[in-house]
Amino acid sequence: MENRDNDTTTDVDIAIVGGGPAGLSAALALVRARRAVTVIDGGQPRNRFAPHMHGVLGHDGLPPTELLRRGRAEIEGYGGVFVDGDVTSVSVEEGSILISAGGEVVHARRLLAATGLRDELPDIEGLREQWGRGVVVCPYCDGWERRNGVIGILATSPQSVDQAQLLRQWSDRIVYFANLIGEPDADAERRLVARGIRIERREVARIRTDQDDRLTGVELTDGEIVDVGAIFTGPTMYPLDELLLSLGATTTGAHGIRWVAIDADGRTSVPNVWAVGNVVDPRANVPVSLGAGALIAGAINADLVKEDVEAALARINARSEVDPEEASSLLR
Ligand SMILES: Cc1cc2nc3c(=O)[nH]c(=O)nc-3n(C[C@H](O)[C@H](O)[C@H](O)COP(=O)(O)OP(=O)(O)OC[C@H]3O[C@@H](n4cnc5c(N)ncnc54)[C@H](O)[C@@H]3O)c2cc1C
């Protein structure tokens, strides 16, 4: 890797914006493929609120920050470079991509956006403070730890009925708090009742905790407290895709949200710009993000190899105009 302009500008093969599981997994595969990689990361992974991470083979129960710390160390061991901070702008100049983060400017042949998404929770007193501990989203990440306990479902969309039915797999004591979105329709109600799920229609006032800051219940506006040990809810998700949109990436609608469109290899509509993980896929939990990062790294490397071959041929063609003998000896 070559530094220019008082060490503030760097030329690399790939700049990865976002050092969560998706970005780091891609970075590891790419540095091992002997590519020059810089990862620029704002240090705000989506699951930073959770003390432990589950369902990640070989790492079940590990703190999420520890997975990232280990990943960074592995990547640095192969020569990968990290820049801490938020990327503020990206632009394309003569086929190369310019990425600015604080005082750093990175010139890259390819850009991989792995910037994740932001969760917006309903505005209920005490809810945000419990996010990642007493208030969670993913049954596969936190259902086991709540098995057989009283679980509240704070409904935020029609899919909350499915979330309640799913959680019934982990406990037969489920309370469905319907108030934020109104009554479930007759069919959904029949299905909830059939599985013994209690429907609570009264308005939720606040989340209750004990002196150790553990969630203990949901207080309703009439003063009654419903004891629950955990709340599963569905936050509104906002992909952190401003950089991709600023480059003109086309979007698609899925899961009721606008996402930057990618092909099966993670290519966006902007030449040489790729995306992976939660920024383009809400279903990408940690193992899926790790897998997608590795897969897309392979596709990016193959794309660079193709470009390297073309560049080598172009060099030889240019020489043949000057010295045909030398050019043909290079091809032998
Ligand atoms: C509370 C909670 C608990 C969870 N628990 C689990 C679990 O137990 N198991 C599981 O499999 N999944 C879990 N998940 C899901 C998990 O968080 C995501 O699957 C995972 O974080 C997605 O990885 P990612 O790399 O796409 O994004 P992220 O991990 O969110 O990483 C994105 C990174 O990009 C950086 N970034 C964003 N914009 C910029 C910018 N402009 N410049 C520079 N950097 C930028 C961010 O700072 C961040 O570090 C949980 C999610 C939540 C909300």
Side-chain angles (χ1 to χ4, degrees):
M1 214 174 297
E2 178 193 331
N3 285 324
R4 303 187 319 203
D5 300 346
N6 302 325
D7 287 338
T8 55
T9 302
T10 315
D11 287 321
V12 295
D13 293 315
I14 306 109
I16 299 177
V17 185
L24 292 189
S25 175
L28 182 61
L30 288 162
V31 287
R32 283 180 50 77
R34 309 187 69 194
R35 293 295 179 186
V37 177
T38 290
V39 180
I40 307 143
D41 182 39
Q44 304 280 298
R46 183 183 175 202
N47 55 1
R48 63 189 179 279
F49 305 98
H52 303 286
M53 185 183 67
H54 293 286
V56 185
L57 188 66
H59 299 296
D60 194 49
L62 195 74
T65 46
E66 177 58 14
L67 180 80
L68 302 183
R69 192 197 63 73
R70 291 184 192 176
R72 279 177 81 128
E74 286 167 356
I75 293 156
E76 282 173 333
Y78 291 103
V81 171
F82 283 86
V83 174
D84 292 322
D86 277 330
V87 168
T88 44
S89 72
V90 287
S91 57
V92 180
E93 263 181 31
E94 293 164 10
S96 124
I97 301 157
L98 245 85
I99 299 119
S100 306
E104 305 270 345
V105 179
V106 179
H107 280 252
R109 294 168 68 190
R110 299 291 180 273
L111 167 66
L112 175 62
T115 42
L117 63 76
R118 177 173 65 81
D119 294 293
E120 194 169 289
L121 290 164
D123 192 14
I124 290 176
E125 192 183 322
L127 194 74
R128 256 182 233 118
E129 290 79 353
Q130 281 292 318
W131 182 231
R133 296 181 294 129
V135 178
V136 288
V137 56
C138 159
Y140 299 100
C141 307
D142 295 294
W144 175 263
E145 285 63 38
R146 309 299 178 185
R147 66 192 183 282
N148 300 326
V150 184
I151 296 175
I153 307 295
L154 185 66
T156 54
S157 78
Q159 284 75 44
S160 299
V161 169
D162 302 330
Q163 195 181 29
Q165 293 288 11
L166 195 58
L167 260 309
R168 180 65 180 71
Q169 174 73 16
W170 282 272
S171 175
D172 58 7
R173 295 187 291 163
I174 305 283
V175 185
Y176 179 85
F177 292 93
N179 164 255
L180 288 179
I181 57 162
E183 294 282 314
D185 66 32
D187 182 51
E189 179 170 351
R190 239 190 350 266
R191 289 165 186 276
L192 290 170
V193 172
R195 297 260 281 166
I197 295 171
R198 170 180 158 196
I199 302 173
E200 177 52 71
R201 295 176 166 81
R202 286 172 292 174
E203 194 179 341
V204 171
R206 63 185 61 83
I207 303 307
R208 306 269 304 198
T209 52
D210 64 13
Q211 69 274 21
D212 296 324
D213 202 27
R214 273 194 303 256
L215 188 146
T216 54
V218 173
E219 185 177 326
L220 306 172
T221 49
D222 64 10
E224 192 178 315
I225 293 164
V226 182
D227 293 334
V228 299
I231 293 173
F232 283 72
T233 193
T236 309
M237 293 176 285
Y238 294 97
L240 297 172
D241 55 10
E242 295 83 1
L243 300 174
L244 295 169
L245 297 179
S246 76
L247 291 171
T250 58
T251 58
T252 178
H255 312 284
I257 303 172
R258 169 201 50 73
W259 300 89
V260 165
I262 51 166
D263 71 9
D265 286 335
R267 269 192 192 83
T268 71
S269 62
V270 184
N272 303 331
V273 177
W274 307 60
V276 68
N278 271 171
V279 66
V280 283
D281 184 359
R283 300 161 307 171
N285 61 11
V286 171
V288 173
S289 299
L290 293 174
L295 193 80
I296 282 165
I300 294 175
N301 189 47
D303 193 48
L304 286 170
V305 167
K306 222 160 110 188
E307 189 175 274
D308 294 340
V309 172
E310 294 307 320
L313 280 175
R315 273 196 301 275
I316 287 170
N317 288 341
R319 279 192 205 176
S320 71
E321 284 168 22
V322 182
D323 183 348
E325 193 56 32
E326 191 205 353
S328 66
S329 77
L330 285 173
L331 285 172
R332 275 198 292 273

